[in-house]
Amino acid sequence: MRKPMVGTGWKMNHGPAAALTYAARLRALLAEQKTAGLDIFVLPPFVSLSAASAGFAGSPVQTGGQNIHWDEAGSWTGEISAPMLKEVGCRYAELAHSERLQHFGETYERVRLKVDAALAADLTPILCLGESAEDKRLGTSDDTLRYQVMTALAGQTPATIPGVVLAYEPRWAIGQSDAAPPDYVAERHAGLRALLVDLWGEKTAEDTRIIYGGSVSQTNGAGLISLPNVDGLFIGRSAWTPEGFAAMVRIVADAKLA
Ligand SMILES: O=C(COP(=O)(O)O)[C@@H](O)CO
């Protein structure tokens, strides 16, 4: 069974003081809700990671960074390594978010090195995948997803792939007023599952989580999480308040936990 997930990336929001306030409030809210059986994560900016990890210690919420460098240490000004994330209490490393691809020159070739670095540091990579609006228009979405998976996960094995979380986030659906249509999401997730079977076999595909992100909200969340092959929700704006995130956790719990 794949453990359901629900998480948020704060992007460039919430400094250390705000992270502590958020953590205290979210802990209080989640104490009243069903959380056992879910993997719940928050991805703060780097400077807020220590505060967030301390604020969530002993709670069901785990933290992660929004990027890593592929090297463990060295002359890489402005970069952060996977062991550094581990040291500040992280469990996750988000890789290949579309905003990093679009604005900071990230490539899937480099992301492959980052996947290796994250796994070597005992972090779970959250590997973002997603086609552009142009891919969608041309009907090449699945080709693009295949390229991204094969490039970022080259060298991985049937044993290591389930240690990676695939986050399907169509680029054209991020930061919008609504998510991608459910039937479209269902097709892409089914395609990704079939790709995993093709590349690494049935068992690996069965064990690997594929979550959806892109304008998830309290309005569309229940419909998305109930789709086959959607193992979790990855939320931006709608989870930037503790109340908003707690509501999304409840939606995932109601759909996925007995
Ligand atoms: O970018 C994401 C989605 O942001 P929304 O504001 O929900 O569109 C995803 O990676 C979560 O950070």
Side-chain angles (χ1 to χ4, degrees):
M1 274 300 287
R2 299 184 293 273
K3 193 172 182 185
M5 304 185 82
V6 54
T8 178
W10 287 353
K11 307 194 183 193
M12 199 171 71
N13 297 285
H14 301 325
L20 276 176
T21 306
Y22 182 112
R25 178 71 180 138
L26 184 61
R27 287 180 78 124
L29 292 167
L30 293 185
E32 308 297 320
Q33 293 182 209
K34 196 182 243 186
T35 56
L38 296 179
D39 276 342
I40 305 173
F41 66 87
V42 169
L43 310 180
F46 289 131
V47 293
S48 303
L49 277 171
S50 291
S53 294
F56 286 122
S59 84
V61 181
Q62 292 176 297
T63 56
Q66 298 176 15
N67 184 29
I68 54 169
H69 193 273
W70 58 83
D71 206 353
E72 284 188 9
S75 299
W76 301 106
T77 301
E79 292 292 315
I80 301 287
S81 72
M84 289 172 179
L85 290 193
K86 197 72 188 168
E87 194 176 336
V88 292
C90 289
R91 167 160 177 206
Y92 297 99
E94 180 182 19
L95 303 176
H97 191 277
S98 81
E99 287 148 18
R100 297 216 57 82
L101 297 166
Q102 188 183 344
H103 303 298
F104 303 105
E106 184 70 282
T107 65
Y108 279 91
E109 286 75 14
R110 284 191 170 174
V111 168
R112 180 175 68 77
L113 303 175
K114 296 182 181 195
V115 170
D116 290 342
L119 291 172
D122 194 28
L123 292 168
T124 300
I126 300 173
L127 173 63
C128 299
L129 309 164
E131 78 284 5
S132 65
E134 182 73 348
D135 290 321
K136 178 169 174 277
R137 192 179 65 77
L138 295 172
T140 54
S141 300
D142 290 335
D143 298 333
T144 293
L145 294 172
R146 185 179 181 91
Y147 164 78
Q148 293 170 350
V149 168
M150 291 187 69
T151 306
L153 299 179
Q156 299 304 324
T157 68
T160 59
I161 291 292
V164 179
V165 174
L166 304 188
Y168 172 58
E169 304 204 311
R171 292 186 208 173
W172 50 271
I174 292 174
Q176 305 300 311
S177 57
D178 200 0
D183 57 345
Y184 185 89
V185 174
E187 279 175 27
R188 301 287 82 71
H189 277 244
L192 283 168
R193 188 80 60 204
L195 178 60
L196 292 174
V197 173
D198 192 25
L199 295 173
W200 292 289
E202 290 276 353
K203 170 85 172 78
T204 295
E206 187 55 36
D207 291 346
T208 304
R209 291 177 291 185
I210 309 174
I211 64 177
Y212 171 81
S215 300
V216 175
S217 69
Q218 291 180 48
T219 308
N220 59 33
L224 291 163
I225 191 62
S226 58
L227 295 171
N229 292 307
V230 174
D231 302 311
L233 297 178
F234 189 14
I235 309 136
R237 291 157 297 158
S238 295
W240 288 349
T241 63
E243 290 77 13
F245 191 37
M248 298 308 307
V249 172
R250 191 186 300 277
I251 286 169
V252 174
D254 286 351
K256 293 290 194 188
L257 305 177

